[in-house]
Amino acid sequence: MQKFSHVLFFLLLVGALLLVPATRVSAATGILNQINFQGKVVIKTVGTNITDGSYTFIFKLYSASSGGVAIWTETKSVTVTNGIFQTLLGDTTTLPGSVD
């Protein structure tokens, strides 16, 4: 009898779940066409962090790993703290559609 009650409970549970309306899930309406980029800048000759401050960086993406042509360039002011910086590439100059 106890086995029967477990089976009955299971069937009722499954039946109740089937009666619950499904929640509709939607995807976001766009793709963020930016790349989160982080780095560390040190003084090469001594290996210490550069002084905290705002610096002009030039970021480039190339068509090949060696000898390629720059397909995108962005120049921006970036804040550096303890040698560390973070920026969104593509927020100043839109990335080309070929960047995936």
Side-chain angles (χ1 to χ4, degrees), residues 1-12:
M1 187 66 164
Q2 186 179 9
K3 187 175 184 179
F4 176 74
S5 64
H6 289 301
V7 171
L8 181 60
F9 174 75
F10 176 75
L11 291 175
L12 289 173

Side-chain angles (χ1 to χ4, degrees), residues 18-34:
L18 292 175
L19 294 175
V20 175
T23 303
R24 185 176 181 148
V25 178
S26 300
T29 60
I31 298 172
L32 179 62
N33 292 324
Q34 297 172 350

Side-chain angles (χ1 to χ4, degrees), residues 28-76:
T29 60
I31 298 172
L32 179 62
N33 292 324
Q34 297 172 350
I35 300 170
N36 185 25
F37 187 77
Q38 302 170 26
K40 181 169 183 167
V41 185
V42 297
I43 302 169
K44 185 176 180 179
T45 55
V46 291
T48 59
N49 298 337
I50 64 169
T51 306
D52 291 358
S54 185
Y55 295 88
T56 300
F57 282 74
I58 301 172
F59 299 96
K60 295 183 179 188
L61 293 177
Y62 288 84
S63 61
S65 60
S66 176
V69 176
I71 59 171
W72 173 84
T73 300
E74 180 172 77
T75 302
K76 63 193 323 183

